[in-house]
Amino acid sequence: MGGGMHAYYYIFGVAEPTFRCRLPLNIWPDEDKYQFINNTHQLLIETWISSTSKCDTINGSKCTDFVYDRSVFGRTFTEDANFVCTNAVKRTWLATVFQIGAISAYGLVFLLLMELTSSSHTSFAGNLALIAYTFGEIVAALFAYGARNWLNHKWFNSGYIGLMLFYLYFVPESPYWLFNKKKYAQLEVCLRNIAKINKRENTEWFQLYRQLIQDSSIQMKTTIKPKKKNIRRILIRLCISGLIAFVTMLLYIKISYGLGAMNKNLSPHWSIVIGAIVEGIGYISASFLITTRLGRKYTLMVFALFTSLYVLTIPFIKENYPIVTIVISQMGKLTISGAVSASWVYVPELFPTSIRGLSNSIFVFTGRLGAILAPIVDAALGDKYIKLTFYIYSRITFIMIGIVTLLPETRNRSFNDDNENNNRIAAEQSEVQ
């Protein structure tokens, strides 16, 4: 939940409210309100401000001082720092910082949560984390609506994250990681604590654990170095998983951040709240579909395909059909959320435990690149060329779907290790015996 609160703080705390040039002191002293005060004030604004660009005066000179409308977002950091017009790109620097901090930590927590559960419950655990993320979005929107001040909102988020640090101290280490690193003493302590919480101390559970340790010693003796073919296969999967992360997070941020400014007839706070609910539906839908015959792979492909179609549709209807645009955008939020959910479950299952941490790091890193790039591109292109991004992103998604066909399905496979590696070890054991 903290990840959602932190990531969506940017939408409200660094939002771009409606603004205009401030009237000179010799025309209207100490002007601090965006709305018209009287007819004289309105006439002066219409006379002084350019009708073609809100960043220029009537003489064509660039504005350096602005008045902001606080009726929607309240006081934002954009207002205090004047991150508009020629300084608009600077807002994307903050987006970069937020994306690095929010989802990078969230990715580690997500993987740990999945590894703290059995292979039969990884889908449930993964989607539980994703649903909690949507609650964070709702909390961010509601608190922004109540606080209406970026600084108060920031202290609220900081306080919540500070409290979470104490909780993380008591979170156990991943049993999969401890076993893979041969930290058997720590592993036994971890498993005993898990068994105690689940009230299973008096079962044959620890006999299975001891047998697991014995089997691992046999596997270590019989395991050979991976062949070049296996290394090449892993490298290909790393590249494809990086592409999946880049494209899905690029589209996720493009759609999610766009909902806050999609239409003036709908409050951005309500847009985000509705979007969070729709996102949760997307996660639940994906968690169901990945357990069906579609599996992880084709669920990801189906959700990505529909996202691509929705993104391609938006520029054709945005100007003339604003309400339909909102509906299509929310449907895009649903499908890209489903794609993200499927990918976060699917990609870790593509790799054995020994390199899952590395593969997940690459997956999160490339996803961050996509998330960082989305607001930068939008700010750099501006309103004039923003439509191009919809066409390009849609085509990139089609390319990703085609490449995903090269990957195997991972449904009903153990989260503990790669099936091909397990089969090879089993064959070697039988030869030794």
Side-chain angles (χ1 to χ4, degrees):
M1 192 171 81
M5 291 169 56
H6 185 71
Y8 278 75
Y9 169 79
Y10 173 84
I11 295 180
F12 303 104
V14 199
E16 181 182 299
T18 305
F19 65 93
R20 60 173 173 79
C21 293
R22 190 188 302 273
L23 294 174
L25 292 176
N26 59 342
I27 295 179
W28 194 278
D30 301 324
E31 184 187 27
D32 61 352
K33 293 185 181 298
Y34 177 85
Q35 288 75 15
F36 305 135
I37 297 177
N38 51 42
N39 292 335
T40 302
H41 187 216
Q42 180 179 357
L43 180 62
L44 288 172
I45 291 173
E46 293 174 350
T47 304
W48 177 256
I49 305 302
S50 172
S51 60
T52 58
S53 173
K54 55 185 178 181
C55 297
D56 301 335
T57 66
I58 193 67
N59 299 323
S61 59
K62 297 294 182 181
C63 291
T64 57
D65 197 10
F66 303 91
V67 178
Y68 296 86
D69 181 9
R70 297 182 182 176
S71 62
V72 178
F73 295 101
R75 191 179 188 92
T76 66
F77 186 79
T78 302
E79 174 183 345
D80 286 352
N82 274 338
F83 278 175
V84 294
C85 296
T86 56
N87 292 324
V89 176
K90 293 181 180 179
R91 291 195 304 118
T92 64
W93 300 351
L94 294 177
T96 300
V97 174
F98 276 102
Q99 290 303 320
I100 292 174
I103 309 298
S104 297
Y106 178 78
L108 296 175
V109 174
F110 183 91
L111 182 61
L112 176 61
L113 181 60
M114 292 182 68
E115 292 194 343
L116 283 172
T117 61
S118 62
S119 58
S120 60
H121 294 89
T122 53
S123 298
F124 173 78
N127 283 282
L128 181 64
L130 293 170
I131 293 296
Y133 185 87
T134 65
F135 277 102
E137 299 175 28
I138 295 174
V139 170
L142 295 180
F143 191 82
Y145 180 80
R148 305 185 66 78
N149 186 298
W150 70 270
L151 189 59
N152 293 338
H153 195 175
K154 185 202 75 169
W155 285 120
F156 174 77
N157 282 2
S158 300
Y160 179 87
I161 294 172
L163 292 175
M164 290 299 297
L165 294 177
F166 295 99
Y167 169 75
L168 290 175
Y169 176 80
F170 299 99
V171 175
E173 183 55 83
S174 164
Y176 288 104
W177 183 84
L178 293 172
F179 178 76
N180 183 258
K181 296 299 181 181
K182 305 177 183 63
K183 298 179 180 292
Y184 299 127
Q186 292 175 282
L187 174 61
E188 184 168 357
V189 173
C190 177
L191 295 180
R192 285 186 181 277
N193 289 334
I194 293 175
K196 183 177 180 180
I197 293 174
N198 290 284
K199 299 179 180 180
R200 296 187 60 185
E201 300 103 317
N202 299 324
T203 66
E204 297 179 353
W205 206 52
F206 284 106
Q207 294 180 8
L208 296 176
Y209 160 71
R210 295 187 182 94
Q211 184 64 44
L212 184 64
I213 299 300
Q214 294 175 3
D215 292 343
S216 67
S217 62
I218 298 175
Q219 290 178 5
M220 285 188 292
K221 294 178 182 179
T222 58
T223 300
I224 59 176
K225 293 183 179 180
K227 298 179 180 179
K228 291 183 179 180
K229 181 179 179 181
N230 296 332
I231 296 176
R232 184 165 58 250
R233 184 184 68 247
I234 289 175
L235 289 176
I236 291 173
R237 292 184 184 182
L238 284 172
C239 293
I240 296 177
S241 64
L243 176 64
I244 293 171
F246 178 84
V247 174
T248 54
M249 290 307 301
L250 177 74
L251 291 174
Y252 175 84
I253 295 299
K254 170 73 173 178
I255 295 173
S256 299
Y257 281 16
L259 289 176
M262 185 60 67
N263 191 279
K264 295 182 180 180
N265 296 325
L266 183 64
S267 165
H269 303 88
W270 280 112
S271 293
I272 297 302
V273 170
I274 295 172
I277 296 172
V278 169
E279 183 175 343
I281 295 173
Y283 292 149
I284 294 173
S285 301
S287 66
F288 170 74
L289 289 177
I290 62 178
T291 62
T292 65
R293 295 181 63 181
L294 280 177
R296 277 77 158 133
K297 175 180 174 179
Y298 290 103
T299 297
L300 170 61
M301 293 172 63
V302 168
F303 276 109
L305 176 62
F306 277 101
T307 301
S308 178
L309 295 176
Y310 291 138
V311 169
L312 187 60
T313 304
I314 289 175
F316 293 102
I317 63 174
K318 186 176 181 180
E319 298 297 331
N320 299 323
Y321 305 98
I323 301 301
V324 178
T325 301
I326 293 176
V327 175
I328 293 297
S329 300
Q330 293 289 4
M331 293 301 297
K333 180 72 179 295
L334 186 150
T335 54
I336 191 57
S337 300
V340 170
S341 174
S343 67
W344 279 62
V345 174
Y346 179 47
V347 169
E349 294 179 341
L350 288 171
F351 301 94
T353 306
S354 57
I355 65 166
R356 187 171 296 128
L358 173 63
S359 65
N360 191 68
S361 299
I362 295 174
F363 179 74
V364 173
F365 174 75
T366 52
R368 287 310 88 218
L369 292 180
I372 290 168
L373 184 64
I376 292 177
V377 171
D378 286 359
L381 293 179
D383 296 335
K384 186 176 181 179
Y385 300 103
I386 196 67
K387 289 184 178 181
L388 293 176
T389 60
F390 292 95
Y391 306 138
I392 295 172
Y393 295 168
S394 179
R395 178 165 295 186
I396 292 174
T397 307
F398 274 115
I399 294 173
M400 182 204 75
I401 293 170
I403 295 177
V404 168
T405 59
L406 302 175
L407 295 175
E409 177 55 62
T410 61
R411 180 172 172 252
N412 294 328
R413 287 175 55 179
S414 173
F415 193 62
N416 184 44
D417 221 327
D418 183 72
N419 264 358
E420 296 170 359
N421 188 50
N422 285 342
N423 293 337
R424 178 173 57 83
I425 292 175
E428 291 172 354
Q429 287 180 336
S430 62
E431 290 178 3
V432 171
Q433 294 174 356

